[in-house]
mmCIF file with all atom_site columns, all heavy atoms in Angstrom:
data_model
loop_
_atom_site.group_PDB
_atom_site.id
_atom_site.type_symbol
_atom_site.label_atom_id
_atom_site.label_alt_id
_atom_site.label_comp_id
_atom_site.label_asym_id
_atom_site.label_entity_id
_atom_site.label_seq_id
_atom_site.pdbx_PDB_ins_code
_atom_site.Cartn_x
_atom_site.Cartn_y
_atom_site.Cartn_z
_atom_site.occupancy
_atom_site.B_iso_or_equiv
_atom_site.pdbx_formal_charge
_atom_site.auth_seq_id
_atom_site.auth_comp_id
_atom_site.auth_asym_id
_atom_site.auth_atom_id
_atom_site.pdbx_PDB_model_num
ATOM   1   N  N   . PHE A 1 14  ? -3.781 -4.133  -10.142 1.00 0.00 ? 125 PHE A N   1
ATOM   2   C  CA  . PHE A 1 14  ? -4.114 -4.910  -8.943  1.00 0.00 ? 125 PHE A CA  1
ATOM   3   C  C   . PHE A 1 14  ? -5.598 -4.847  -8.571  1.00 0.00 ? 125 PHE A C   1
ATOM   4   O  O   . PHE A 1 14  ? -6.036 -5.589  -7.691  1.00 0.00 ? 125 PHE A O   1
ATOM   5   C  CB  . PHE A 1 14  ? -3.301 -4.427  -7.739  1.00 0.00 ? 125 PHE A CB  1
ATOM   6   C  CG  . PHE A 1 14  ? -1.857 -4.842  -7.768  1.00 0.00 ? 125 PHE A CG  1
ATOM   7   C  CD1 . PHE A 1 14  ? -0.841 -3.892  -7.861  1.00 0.00 ? 125 PHE A CD1 1
ATOM   8   C  CD2 . PHE A 1 14  ? -1.498 -6.176  -7.695  1.00 0.00 ? 125 PHE A CD2 1
ATOM   9   C  CE1 . PHE A 1 14  ? 0.491  -4.271  -7.884  1.00 0.00 ? 125 PHE A CE1 1
ATOM   10  C  CE2 . PHE A 1 14  ? -0.166 -6.569  -7.713  1.00 0.00 ? 125 PHE A CE2 1
ATOM   11  C  CZ  . PHE A 1 14  ? 0.837  -5.621  -7.815  1.00 0.00 ? 125 PHE A CZ  1
ATOM   12  N  N   . LEU A 1 21  ? -2.961 -8.491  -12.533 1.00 0.00 ? 132 LEU A N   1
ATOM   13  C  CA  . LEU A 1 21  ? -2.811 -9.350  -11.343 1.00 0.00 ? 132 LEU A CA  1
ATOM   14  C  C   . LEU A 1 21  ? -3.855 -8.882  -10.341 1.00 0.00 ? 132 LEU A C   1
ATOM   15  O  O   . LEU A 1 21  ? -3.553 -8.460  -9.233  1.00 0.00 ? 132 LEU A O   1
ATOM   16  C  CB  . LEU A 1 21  ? -1.382 -9.187  -10.805 1.00 0.00 ? 132 LEU A CB  1
ATOM   17  C  CG  . LEU A 1 21  ? -0.880 -10.142 -9.718  1.00 0.00 ? 132 LEU A CG  1
ATOM   18  C  CD1 . LEU A 1 21  ? -1.009 -11.601 -10.168 1.00 0.00 ? 132 LEU A CD1 1
ATOM   19  C  CD2 . LEU A 1 21  ? 0.575  -9.849  -9.394  1.00 0.00 ? 132 LEU A CD2 1
ATOM   20  N  N   . ASP A 1 53  ? 4.104  -0.496  -6.702  1.00 0.00 ? 164 ASP A N   1
ATOM   21  C  CA  . ASP A 1 53  ? 4.972  -1.463  -7.346  1.00 0.00 ? 164 ASP A CA  1
ATOM   22  C  C   . ASP A 1 53  ? 5.403  -0.941  -8.727  1.00 0.00 ? 164 ASP A C   1
ATOM   23  O  O   . ASP A 1 53  ? 4.591  -0.357  -9.448  1.00 0.00 ? 164 ASP A O   1
ATOM   24  C  CB  . ASP A 1 53  ? 4.101  -2.724  -7.531  1.00 0.00 ? 164 ASP A CB  1
ATOM   25  C  CG  . ASP A 1 53  ? 4.883  -4.001  -7.592  1.00 0.00 ? 164 ASP A CG  1
ATOM   26  O  OD1 . ASP A 1 53  ? 6.054  -4.006  -7.185  1.00 0.00 ? 164 ASP A OD1 1
ATOM   27  O  OD2 . ASP A 1 53  ? 4.298  -5.006  -8.049  1.00 0.00 ? 164 ASP A OD2 1
ATOM   28  N  N   . ILE A 1 54  ? 6.677  -1.170  -9.063  1.00 0.00 ? 165 ILE A N   1
ATOM   29  C  CA  . ILE A 1 54  ? 7.111  -0.875  -10.438 1.00 0.00 ? 165 ILE A CA  1
ATOM   30  C  C   . ILE A 1 54  ? 7.956  -2.023  -10.969 1.00 0.00 ? 165 ILE A C   1
ATOM   31  O  O   . ILE A 1 54  ? 8.794  -2.580  -10.253 1.00 0.00 ? 165 ILE A O   1
ATOM   32  C  CB  . ILE A 1 54  ? 7.887  0.472   -10.530 1.00 0.00 ? 165 ILE A CB  1
ATOM   33  C  CG1 . ILE A 1 54  ? 8.128  0.850   -11.998 1.00 0.00 ? 165 ILE A CG1 1
ATOM   34  C  CG2 . ILE A 1 54  ? 9.204  0.448   -9.748  1.00 0.00 ? 165 ILE A CG2 1
ATOM   35  C  CD1 . ILE A 1 54  ? 8.540  2.306   -12.219 1.00 0.00 ? 165 ILE A CD1 1
ATOM   36  N  N   . HIS A 1 55  ? 7.650  -2.421  -12.204 1.00 0.00 ? 166 HIS A N   1
ATOM   37  C  CA  . HIS A 1 55  ? 8.448  -3.448  -12.884 1.00 0.00 ? 166 HIS A CA  1
ATOM   38  C  C   . HIS A 1 55  ? 8.779  -2.940  -14.277 1.00 0.00 ? 166 HIS A C   1
ATOM   39  O  O   . HIS A 1 55  ? 8.164  -2.000  -14.759 1.00 0.00 ? 166 HIS A O   1
ATOM   40  C  CB  . HIS A 1 55  ? 7.669  -4.763  -12.968 1.00 0.00 ? 166 HIS A CB  1
ATOM   41  C  CG  . HIS A 1 55  ? 7.425  -5.390  -11.633 1.00 0.00 ? 166 HIS A CG  1
ATOM   42  N  ND1 . HIS A 1 55  ? 8.407  -6.013  -10.912 1.00 0.00 ? 166 HIS A ND1 1
ATOM   43  C  CD2 . HIS A 1 55  ? 6.292  -5.478  -10.881 1.00 0.00 ? 166 HIS A CD2 1
ATOM   44  C  CE1 . HIS A 1 55  ? 7.891  -6.465  -9.766  1.00 0.00 ? 166 HIS A CE1 1
ATOM   45  N  NE2 . HIS A 1 55  ? 6.625  -6.139  -9.727  1.00 0.00 ? 166 HIS A NE2 1
ATOM   46  N  N   . HIS A 1 62  ? 14.159 -10.144 -12.049 1.00 0.00 ? 173 HIS A N   1
ATOM   47  C  CA  . HIS A 1 62  ? 13.365 -9.852  -10.852 1.00 0.00 ? 173 HIS A CA  1
ATOM   48  C  C   . HIS A 1 62  ? 12.752 -11.146 -10.308 1.00 0.00 ? 173 HIS A C   1
ATOM   49  O  O   . HIS A 1 62  ? 12.220 -11.941 -11.070 1.00 0.00 ? 173 HIS A O   1
ATOM   50  C  CB  . HIS A 1 62  ? 12.263 -8.846  -11.193 1.00 0.00 ? 173 HIS A CB  1
ATOM   51  C  CG  . HIS A 1 62  ? 11.643 -8.265  -9.967  1.00 0.00 ? 173 HIS A CG  1
ATOM   52  N  ND1 . HIS A 1 62  ? 10.787 -8.994  -9.160  1.00 0.00 ? 173 HIS A ND1 1
ATOM   53  C  CD2 . HIS A 1 62  ? 11.776 -7.049  -9.381  1.00 0.00 ? 173 HIS A CD2 1
ATOM   54  C  CE1 . HIS A 1 62  ? 10.422 -8.223  -8.137  1.00 0.00 ? 173 HIS A CE1 1
ATOM   55  N  NE2 . HIS A 1 62  ? 11.006 -7.046  -8.249  1.00 0.00 ? 173 HIS A NE2 1
ATOM   56  N  N   . GLU A 1 64  ? 10.041 -11.807 -8.888  1.00 0.00 ? 175 GLU A N   1
ATOM   57  C  CA  . GLU A 1 64  ? 8.612  -12.005 -9.166  1.00 0.00 ? 175 GLU A CA  1
ATOM   58  C  C   . GLU A 1 64  ? 8.354  -12.535 -10.579 1.00 0.00 ? 175 GLU A C   1
ATOM   59  O  O   . GLU A 1 64  ? 7.259  -13.018 -10.867 1.00 0.00 ? 175 GLU A O   1
ATOM   60  C  CB  . GLU A 1 64  ? 7.837  -10.693 -8.966  1.00 0.00 ? 175 GLU A CB  1
ATOM   61  C  CG  . GLU A 1 64  ? 7.593  -10.362 -7.515  1.00 0.00 ? 175 GLU A CG  1
ATOM   62  C  CD  . GLU A 1 64  ? 6.883  -9.019  -7.345  1.00 0.00 ? 175 GLU A CD  1
ATOM   63  O  OE1 . GLU A 1 64  ? 6.031  -8.662  -8.169  1.00 0.00 ? 175 GLU A OE1 1
ATOM   64  O  OE2 . GLU A 1 64  ? 7.218  -8.313  -6.369  1.00 0.00 ? 175 GLU A OE2 1
ATOM   65  N  N   . PHE A 1 68  ? 4.746  -14.438 -10.811 1.00 0.00 ? 179 PHE A N   1
ATOM   66  C  CA  . PHE A 1 68  ? 3.522  -13.759 -11.222 1.00 0.00 ? 179 PHE A CA  1
ATOM   67  C  C   . PHE A 1 68  ? 3.614  -13.337 -12.689 1.00 0.00 ? 179 PHE A C   1
ATOM   68  O  O   . PHE A 1 68  ? 4.710  -13.126 -13.203 1.00 0.00 ? 179 PHE A O   1
ATOM   69  C  CB  . PHE A 1 68  ? 3.301  -12.490 -10.375 1.00 0.00 ? 179 PHE A CB  1
ATOM   70  C  CG  . PHE A 1 68  ? 3.158  -12.756 -8.907  1.00 0.00 ? 179 PHE A CG  1
ATOM   71  C  CD1 . PHE A 1 68  ? 4.148  -12.367 -8.018  1.00 0.00 ? 179 PHE A CD1 1
ATOM   72  C  CD2 . PHE A 1 68  ? 2.036  -13.406 -8.407  1.00 0.00 ? 179 PHE A CD2 1
ATOM   73  C  CE1 . PHE A 1 68  ? 4.028  -12.608 -6.650  1.00 0.00 ? 179 PHE A CE1 1
ATOM   74  C  CE2 . PHE A 1 68  ? 1.905  -13.656 -7.038  1.00 0.00 ? 179 PHE A CE2 1
ATOM   75  C  CZ  . PHE A 1 68  ? 2.900  -13.257 -6.168  1.00 0.00 ? 179 PHE A CZ  1
ATOM   76  N  N   . HIS A 1 71  ? 3.213  -7.347  -14.408 1.00 0.00 ? 182 HIS A N   1
ATOM   77  C  CA  . HIS A 1 71  ? 2.224  -6.406  -13.868 1.00 0.00 ? 182 HIS A CA  1
ATOM   78  C  C   . HIS A 1 71  ? 2.930  -5.115  -13.475 1.00 0.00 ? 182 HIS A C   1
ATOM   79  O  O   . HIS A 1 71  ? 4.138  -5.112  -13.238 1.00 0.00 ? 182 HIS A O   1
ATOM   80  C  CB  . HIS A 1 71  ? 1.514  -7.004  -12.642 1.00 0.00 ? 182 HIS A CB  1
ATOM   81  C  CG  . HIS A 1 71  ? 2.455  -7.354  -11.537 1.00 0.00 ? 182 HIS A CG  1
ATOM   82  N  ND1 . HIS A 1 71  ? 3.166  -8.549  -11.520 1.00 0.00 ? 182 HIS A ND1 1
ATOM   83  C  CD2 . HIS A 1 71  ? 2.855  -6.676  -10.438 1.00 0.00 ? 182 HIS A CD2 1
ATOM   84  C  CE1 . HIS A 1 71  ? 3.943  -8.579  -10.445 1.00 0.00 ? 182 HIS A CE1 1
ATOM   85  N  NE2 . HIS A 1 71  ? 3.787  -7.445  -9.774  1.00 0.00 ? 182 HIS A NE2 1
ATOM   86  N  N   . ASN A 1 72  ? 2.145  -4.032  -13.378 1.00 0.00 ? 183 ASN A N   1
ATOM   87  C  CA  . ASN A 1 72  ? 2.668  -2.717  -12.978 1.00 0.00 ? 183 ASN A CA  1
ATOM   88  C  C   . ASN A 1 72  ? 3.948  -2.347  -13.736 1.00 0.00 ? 183 ASN A C   1
ATOM   89  O  O   . ASN A 1 72  ? 4.928  -1.895  -13.138 1.00 0.00 ? 183 ASN A O   1
ATOM   90  C  CB  . ASN A 1 72  ? 2.913  -2.666  -11.460 1.00 0.00 ? 183 ASN A CB  1
ATOM   91  C  CG  . ASN A 1 72  ? 1.679  -2.209  -10.704 1.00 0.00 ? 183 ASN A CG  1
ATOM   92  O  OD1 . ASN A 1 72  ? 0.563  -2.581  -11.054 1.00 0.00 ? 183 ASN A OD1 1
ATOM   93  N  ND2 . ASN A 1 72  ? 1.859  -1.406  -9.683  1.00 0.00 ? 183 ASN A ND2 1
ATOM   94  N  N   . THR A 1 102 ? 9.989  -1.794  -5.553  1.00 0.00 ? 213 THR A N   1
ATOM   95  C  CA  . THR A 1 102 ? 10.225 -2.936  -6.448  1.00 0.00 ? 213 THR A CA  1
ATOM   96  C  C   . THR A 1 102 ? 10.085 -4.266  -5.721  1.00 0.00 ? 213 THR A C   1
ATOM   97  O  O   . THR A 1 102 ? 10.293 -5.314  -6.307  1.00 0.00 ? 213 THR A O   1
ATOM   98  C  CB  . THR A 1 102 ? 11.630 -2.869  -7.074  1.00 0.00 ? 213 THR A CB  1
ATOM   99  O  OG1 . THR A 1 102 ? 12.600 -2.988  -6.028  1.00 0.00 ? 213 THR A OG1 1
ATOM   100 C  CG2 . THR A 1 102 ? 11.848 -1.575  -7.834  1.00 0.00 ? 213 THR A CG2 1
ATOM   101 N  N   . TYR A 1 104 ? 7.767  -6.366  -2.264  1.00 0.00 ? 215 TYR A N   1
ATOM   102 C  CA  . TYR A 1 104 ? 6.454  -6.354  -1.616  1.00 0.00 ? 215 TYR A CA  1
ATOM   103 C  C   . TYR A 1 104 ? 6.353  -5.239  -0.574  1.00 0.00 ? 215 TYR A C   1
ATOM   104 O  O   . TYR A 1 104 ? 5.353  -4.529  -0.495  1.00 0.00 ? 215 TYR A O   1
ATOM   105 C  CB  . TYR A 1 104 ? 6.179  -7.700  -0.927  1.00 0.00 ? 215 TYR A CB  1
ATOM   106 C  CG  . TYR A 1 104 ? 6.278  -8.914  -1.825  1.00 0.00 ? 215 TYR A CG  1
ATOM   107 C  CD1 . TYR A 1 104 ? 6.924  -10.071 -1.388  1.00 0.00 ? 215 TYR A CD1 1
ATOM   108 C  CD2 . TYR A 1 104 ? 5.720  -8.911  -3.104  1.00 0.00 ? 215 TYR A CD2 1
ATOM   109 C  CE1 . TYR A 1 104 ? 7.007  -11.197 -2.186  1.00 0.00 ? 215 TYR A CE1 1
ATOM   110 C  CE2 . TYR A 1 104 ? 5.804  -10.031 -3.922  1.00 0.00 ? 215 TYR A CE2 1
ATOM   111 C  CZ  . TYR A 1 104 ? 6.452  -11.178 -3.449  1.00 0.00 ? 215 TYR A CZ  1
ATOM   112 O  OH  . TYR A 1 104 ? 6.544  -12.288 -4.241  1.00 0.00 ? 215 TYR A OH  1
HETATM 113 ZN ZN1 . ZN  B 2 .   ? 5.188  -6.790  -8.312  1.00 0.00 ? 367 ZN  B ZN1 1
#
Side-chain angles (χ1 to χ4, degrees):
F125 286 116
L132 190 56
D164 206 17
I165 189 165
H166 294 286
H173 194 287
E175 283 177 36
F179 299 110
H182 59 277
N183 271 39
T213 64
Y215 304 137

